[in-house]
């Protein structure tokens, strides 16, 4: 075999190993952040920065469940159209929020414009595809993580699998942040 020439398929094997390593390291970093006392915005900034290493996104948003109002409120948004999404409210009983909150299922390659329309947010979004993932802590629904992209149909089965795995860790981290913020407010 000539020096510097890889056997067929070896390059993709190395790429798969590198991808698996990045996935594991991102999961590790999310788990490490569980021990810190951060508010939701700081926690989501950390989580979104780790997710970008393994799942492409143009926009990352967190919708937190408001059980008394039967809704999901956007508590964090960064990236494309972030200003439009901040403080948006999705009523449970309306399409996407129902599928995520009640049916406990992930939605892949949904139209982000439908999120804005459901929330009553005016304007046209640059985003063309989204993946929405329910978040749980101790089997209690706490919210939804939405990653969106400017490319249509950007998300694959691998992205769904990775986000589902990350969501297990992120749910506990975000729940801790919610408890931290609530405790901080009550102490004041």
């Amino acid at each position: 075999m000539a020096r510097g020439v890889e056997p067929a398929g070896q390059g993709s094997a190395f790429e798969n190993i590198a991808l698996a390593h990045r996935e594991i390291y991102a999961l590790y970093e999310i788990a490490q952040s569980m021990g810190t006392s951060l508010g939701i915005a700081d926690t989501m900034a950390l989580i979104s920065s780790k997710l970008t290493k393994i799942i492409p996104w143009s926009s990352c948003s967190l919708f937190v469940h408001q059980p008394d109002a039967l809704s999901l409120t956007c508590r964090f948004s960064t990236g494309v159209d972030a200003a439009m999404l901040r403080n948006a409210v999705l009523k449970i009983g309306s399409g996407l929020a129902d599928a995520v909150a009640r049916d406990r299922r992930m939605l892949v390659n949904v139209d982000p414009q439908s999120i804005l329309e459901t929330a009553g947010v005016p304007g046209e979004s640059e985003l063309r595809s989204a993946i929405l993932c329910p978040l749980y802590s101790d089997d209690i629904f706490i919210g939804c993580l939405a990653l969106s992209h400017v490319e249509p149909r950007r998300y694959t089965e691998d992205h769904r699998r990775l986000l589902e795995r990350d969501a297990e860790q992120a749910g506990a981290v975000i729940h801790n942040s919610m408890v931290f913020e609530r405790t901080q407010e009550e102490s004041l």
Side-chain angles (χ1 to χ4, degrees), residues 1-11 14:
M1 182 185 322
R3 184 175 274 252
V5 177
E6 295 177 359
Q10 189 172 357
F14 288 133

Side-chain angles (χ1 to χ4, degrees), residues 159-178:
H159 295 132
R160 186 204 60 76
R161 179 186 56 79
L162 288 170
L163 187 56
E164 191 170 58
R165 188 180 313 156
D166 289 344
E168 293 172 14
Q169 304 263 335
V173 172
I174 292 165
H175 179 261
N176 288 347
S177 295
M178 292 166 61

Side-chain angles (χ1 to χ4, degrees), residues 114-162:
S114 62
I115 297 169
L116 295 172
E117 289 169 3
T118 302
V121 176
E124 182 69 27
S125 175
E126 293 179 49
L127 301 168
R128 297 292 172 247
S129 60
I131 184 168
L132 286 86
C133 180
L135 297 171
Y136 297 93
S137 179
D138 295 327
D139 207 35
I140 296 170
F141 178 70
I142 61 164
C144 166
L145 182 62
L147 301 179
S148 303
H149 207 281
V150 293
E151 292 179 28
R153 305 206 47 83
R154 178 64 175 100
Y155 296 103
T156 66
E157 180 60 26
D158 278 342
H159 295 132
R160 186 204 60 76
R161 179 186 56 79
L162 288 170

